[in-house]
Amino acid sequence: MLIKRKSDIHIPSSEITPKHVWLSRRDFMKGMGAIAGAGLLTACRPERPPEQSAVATSVPDPQGSAPSEVVDSDAAIEQVRTTTDELGDPLNSYQDIVSYNNYYEFTTDKSGVASLSENFVTNPWQIEVDGLVNNPGVYDVSDLLTKFDQEERIYRLRCVEAWSMVIPWMGFPLAKLLQEVDPTSDAKYVRFETLYDPDQMPGQKSRWYEWPYVEGLTVDEAMNDLALLATGIYGESLLPQNGAPIRLVVPWKYGFKSIKSIVKITLTDVQPTSLWMAAAPNEYGFYANVNPEVNHPRWSQATERRIGEVTRRPTLMFNGYEEQVSYLYEGVDLRENF
Ligand SMILES: Nc1nc2c(c(=O)[nH]1)N[C@H]1C(S)=C(S)[C@@H](COP(=O)(O)O)O[C@H]1N2
Ligand SMILES: [Mo]
């Protein structure tokens, strides 16, 4: 069936700030059908980042996975041109986002995560929220999808390995869930835990890391409106490789803070030790804010390579979200608290 729609496709324009882009799920999916159908954002394949020496692999034609809705291609071209982040940079293609992943529970090979995680069971799925809260609870992810409006947020994702993407997430602010459980005044940190299931996640059999994957934020960071619990990308439910069915996205911090497939959230007065802090405490601290002035012990953080681009670009303080988050670190030595 050919569906032609011009007037009711609503794609955010470059004027819209990342905080408040809002679309109904239905309109968003129509719009994204237009883009994927036109296949215009799928031209750039991620190249291997400079830190990886392996020969680039070819990736199957993305057309096969495009949404089935066919939409007028003039409208689609227009939408592609106006769909950027608030700094004017284009979104990465759906194909980029679902085929170049870090997810050590499956493999350390970025292009191998998608196929290895294909059959990962993400439904039903529950998240337990406990610890220093007045209303602990167990939530079905399917209920969270209707309980909270699902918003679109276009965020830059900056990996500590110095590559980056622009991703249109769907989700809801972490703060909304925290308000629901009502942290006590003793709660200072939020600890997140990924599913532990080595039968489904073969990487968890590796003894290089302390499983399950753990991450943490201060309560104040967690309450910042940018901190998102993501449930979708380009209006589609998350695929396993991106952390289905629900994952954290903290865009001003290095990508490893954005923990995938969360089963447990605990409010605590003890600073959580993340998997990366435990693995290499001299390389990965608790805060992990994107900071071009503080290098990783083994490489510079001053620049990054946007997946799909050839030349490197400067890395921005707090990944470009300084205005929204700098209040969290007033008087904090960002070199010591890395
Ligand atoms: N549970 C879990 N979460 C994880 C990771 C992981 O290995 N396991 N990798 C992190 C890293 S290093 C990055 S850069 C992002 C990548 O997210 P993406 O694959 O959706 O782009 O996920 C983060 N979340
Ligand atoms: Mo990363």
Side-chain angles (χ1 to χ4, degrees), residues 102 159-161 163 255-256:
N102 269 336
C159 178
V160 74
E161 298 163 331
W163 54 267
F256 66 82

Side-chain angles (χ1 to χ4, degrees), residues 34 65 80 119 134 149 153 169 193 201 214-215 217 247 250 281 300 314 326:
S65 59
V80 169
N119 298 319
N134 292 312
D149 289 337
R153 302 284 186 100
W169 303 100
E193 204 176 289
M201 296 170 136
V214 167
E215 261 307 336
L217 298 172
R247 59 92 61 86
V250 199
S300 165
S326 58

Side-chain angles (χ1 to χ4, degrees), residues 175-192:
K176 287 197 183 174
L177 181 59
L178 295 182
Q179 277 149 17
E180 190 81 15
V181 297
D182 190 17
T184 69
S185 57
D186 294 335
K188 297 286 180 285
Y189 299 96
V190 189
R191 181 186 183 277
F192 303 84

Side-chain angles (χ1 to χ4, degrees), residues 12 21 43 48 67-68 74 80 86 112 116 124 136 156-158 177 183 188 207 269 292 299:
V21 179
R48 295 271 170 173
S68 55
D74 289 346
V80 169
E86 85 286 9
L116 271 174
R156 292 170 290 286
L157 175 87
R158 178 25 167 108
L177 181 59
K188 297 286 180 285
R207 279 180 285 168
D269 55 2
W299 60 83

Side-chain angles (χ1 to χ4, degrees), residues 228-240:
L228 192 73
L229 284 171
T231 56
I233 289 172
Y234 271 114
E236 305 280 347
S237 296
L238 286 184
L239 294 179

Side-chain angles (χ1 to χ4, degrees), residues 41-47 62 91-101 165 242 307-308:
L41 280 175
T42 56
C44 303
R45 287 297 324 133
E47 302 152 16
L91 307 191
N92 280 90
S93 70
Y94 188 69
Q95 193 60 25
D96 282 349
I97 298 165
V98 301
S99 60
Y100 188 82
N101 304 100
M165 294 199 203
N242 295 110
I307 297 302

Side-chain angles (χ1 to χ4, degrees), residues 275-318:
L275 172 139
W276 289 108
M277 290 163 71
N282 59 319
E283 299 192 353
Y284 307 105
F286 175 77
Y287 288 94
N289 292 311
V290 174
N291 188 339
E293 289 164 18
V294 177
N295 291 331
H296 188 279
R298 291 184 280 131
W299 60 83
S300 165
Q301 294 292 26
T303 65
E304 66 198 56
R305 201 174 60 80
R306 181 66 46 85
I307 297 302
E309 293 181 357
V310 176
T311 53
R312 297 179 75 83
R313 50 167 69 217
T315 285
L316 304 176
M317 188 64 203
F318 296 116

